[in-house]
Amino acid sequence: MEVLRITGGTSLRGEVAVTGAKNSVLKLMAASLLAPGVTTIANVPDILDVEIMAELLRRLGCDVSHEVALSTIAITVPDRPDHRADYDLVRRMRASICVLGPLLTRTGAADVALPGGDNIGSRGLDMHIDGLRRMGAEVTSDHGYLVAHAGGRLQGARVWLDFPSVGATETLLMAAVLADGETVIDNAAREPEIVDICTMLRTMGANVEGIGTSTLTVIGVEGLRPVQHATVPDRIVAGTWAVAAVMTHGDVTIRHAKAEHLSLALEKLTLAGADVECLPDGFRVAMSGRPRAVDIVTLPYPGFPTDLQPQFIALNSIAEGAALVTENLFEARFRFVQELARLGADVRTDGHHALVRGVPVLSSAPVEATDIRAGAGLALAGLVAEGETTVYGVGHIDRGYAGFVPALRSLGADVRRDEV
Ligand code: UD1
């Protein structure tokens, strides 16, 4: 097993480049299933989840070649992909569910194992299933699999989502592009990753309107063509480096990032006392002195991203004052504060709320990452804790951050991976 060993106390300084977004590239890879032929995706992050998705596509009959050095992936999709996504892969990554929509609309059937993935709450699939049923699919659960049949082409339908779920929006969007007639998805998610997949689908020949709004209108077409598409930059990784700069009193320029995708998070960093400067291809974050505590309420985009909540709890844990953090998306996401407490953080949780009282200094301890973003939050805390912090569960961080340790080291952090 590998661990991170982080000796706190260095200010992060320098430049770091962000790769493509994990939460987009996996869906773009799934969208390739919609068209026979070779789809090429650029700006692909070198992370474990991409490998899992590549393996899943191979099992569906695709030929996948990942050029890590070039950050590209080429997916050759057969005329008739297989339609079964097995448990051994799906359980490792919840995002595997994103093959459900494309497989069903393309082949008329999909058997997808019920997902596992991050340990951050119940994460139901009811909106995916209800939406597909409205489009005429028959969906049942059978021995741990979701079994969906279209009985011919899916039918366009009007679907209202109870909540702007990212995953449900993507499933229904991908199902709708090859369905018969018009589908309207109301209360759709508006994340930059949704805009990214909509843009790719349009290039493939799909008829999608309302991109970036909460009403997506799709008129199904008979077929789509494979394309080349570059993944949107990862706003969560960019945000993680920005928080690291503030916590360590550093000065970091984050390249290949889009500041406009992080408006609220960067505004919070400004309120914490940081200088944030937008640049043509990214932004620069500089901080001197102790940050001030900032309240956070997570919400669907353009609200504050839940995927940056643990990093901001880490920031608040060493800030001047106290902050109230409200988590509205994943009930179990506060689990990691028990680990943060091992470093001396003062965090009390009550349901959806966490009260974080800043302490002047954290002290190193062994801690365990329980999901990707918890891992990032704990690593950031380790960067400012006195002594050497050991982070277990590095595999979680590897699922979402390409070259996490080299990036931190290039900014001057004292961090290494160790076998234990
Ligand atoms: C995606 C991201 C994840 C991010 C989240 C919110 C990927 C691979 N993951 O997850 O990093 O934190 O968006 O920005 O892109 N829900 C239901 N029923 C459904 C669907 C969702 O109850 O049918 C609930 C979930 O349990 C959760 C909330 O809705 O509480 C948000 O889920 P959703 O927006 O779908 O997130 P994911 O797509 O799973």
Side-chain angles (χ1 to χ4, degrees):
M1 183 181 27
E2 284 191 320
V3 297
L4 291 188
R5 298 215 196 267
I6 306 170
T7 302
T10 329
S11 286
L12 297 194
R13 284 175 195 280
E15 287 197 7
V16 65
V18 169
T19 56
K22 168 184 95 74
N23 286 352
S24 198
V25 74
L26 302 172
K27 326 306 171 57
L28 303 177
M29 290 171 75
S32 72
L33 288 167
L34 291 163
V38 187
T39 287
T40 308
I41 302 169
N43 205 21
V44 173
D46 182 19
I47 53 172
L48 192 58
D49 278 12
V50 165
E51 292 313 318
I52 297 174
M53 182 56 85
E55 189 52 35
L56 179 53
L57 292 177
R58 285 187 193 107
R59 301 250 193 113
L60 295 171
C62 303
D63 185 47
V64 184
S65 111
H66 184 184
E67 296 276 357
V68 175
L70 299 174
S71 305
T72 61
I73 203 154
I75 304 162
T76 309
V77 178
D79 285 337
R80 294 237 14 119
D82 193 6
H83 66 268
R84 187 174 169 90
D86 280 326
Y87 180 65
D88 62 328
L89 288 169
V90 177
R91 77 184 172 85
R92 294 176 64 193
M93 186 182 69
R94 180 188 156 85
S96 312
I97 196 69
C98 66
V99 299
L100 173 64
L103 283 181
L104 181 61
T105 204
R106 182 75 210 291
T107 70
D111 297 358
V112 182
L114 289 162
D118 275 1
N119 186 19
I120 52 171
S122 62
R123 308 182 80 172
L125 294 172
D126 50 321
M127 287 183 262
H128 302 241
I129 296 168
D130 290 350
L132 291 176
R133 284 189 176 140
R134 275 187 171 269
M135 297 176 75
E138 195 182 291
V139 189
T140 53
S141 155
D142 185 38
H143 298 290
Y145 279 75
L146 267 185
V147 178
H149 287 282
R153 239 174 128 185
L154 288 170
Q155 299 298 312
R158 190 165 193 118
V159 182
W160 291 266
L161 298 180
D162 289 343
F163 177 90
S165 153
V166 170
T169 301
E170 288 160 347
T171 293
L172 300 176
L173 178 68
M174 287 192 268
V177 289
L178 289 178
D180 187 17
E182 182 180 273
T183 298
V184 179
I185 309 171
D186 255 327
N187 201 20
R190 290 180 282 164
E191 270 67 3
E193 295 76 24
I194 301 276
V195 173
D196 199 24
I197 191 170
C198 285
T199 307
M200 173 165 153
L201 290 170
R202 252 200 187 164
T203 320
M204 293 172 82
N207 187 339
V208 185
E209 297 294 336
I211 297 177
T213 76
S214 44
T215 306
L216 288 170
T217 304
V218 183
I219 298 172
V221 295
E222 295 280 336
L224 295 169
R225 55 181 175 270
V227 290
Q228 298 188 356
H229 181 88
T231 316
V232 70
D234 198 313
R235 63 198 164 101
I236 305 302
V237 171
T240 302
W241 300 142
V243 176
V246 175
M247 288 178 71
T248 62
H249 308 176
D251 185 343
V252 176
T253 298
I254 297 144
R255 300 274 180 209
H256 303 170
K258 289 187 185 286
E260 65 269 29
H261 291 168
L262 275 168
S263 304
L264 192 44
L266 294 180
E267 173 64 16
K268 292 286 178 185
L269 293 181
T270 306
L271 288 173
D275 286 322
V276 178
E277 183 192 351
C278 290
L279 304 169
D281 72 334
F283 52 93
R284 175 179 170 195
V285 179
M287 181 78 191
S288 54
R290 191 176 173 192
R292 288 186 292 275
V294 283
D295 291 342
I296 300 295
V297 179
T298 68
L299 281 172
Y301 191 84
F304 189 91
T306 176
D307 287 352
L308 281 177
Q309 180 257 91
Q311 297 87 322
F312 270 76
I313 288 197
L315 167 73
N316 280 321
S317 75
I318 47 123
E320 180 93 54
L324 187 62
V325 176
T326 305
E327 171 57 55
N328 288 312
L329 278 86
F330 295 114
E331 65 250 41
R333 201 147 227 181
F334 284 146
R335 267 190 216 149
F336 100 106
V337 304
Q338 294 163 9
E339 295 300 303
L340 201 59
R342 295 176 56 74
L343 299 173
D346 180 353
V347 188
R348 280 175 55 183
T349 59
D350 186 0
H352 288 275
H353 304 288
L355 178 63
V356 191
R357 293 189 179 93
V359 296
V361 65
L362 298 175
S363 68
S364 60
V367 289
E368 170 128 30
T370 46
D371 70 65
I372 302 175
R373 311 305 170 185
L378 291 168
L380 297 193
L383 290 174
V384 294
E386 271 180 0
E388 187 182 88
T389 294
T390 305
V391 183
Y392 289 80
V394 182
H396 287 292
I397 299 178
D398 293 339
R399 287 190 43 212
Y401 291 84
F404 189 73
V405 169
L408 282 175
R409 289 173 72 102
S410 76
L411 296 173
D414 183 345
V415 52
R416 65 182 197 280
R417 291 175 88 107
D418 248 2
E419 288 277 346
V420 290

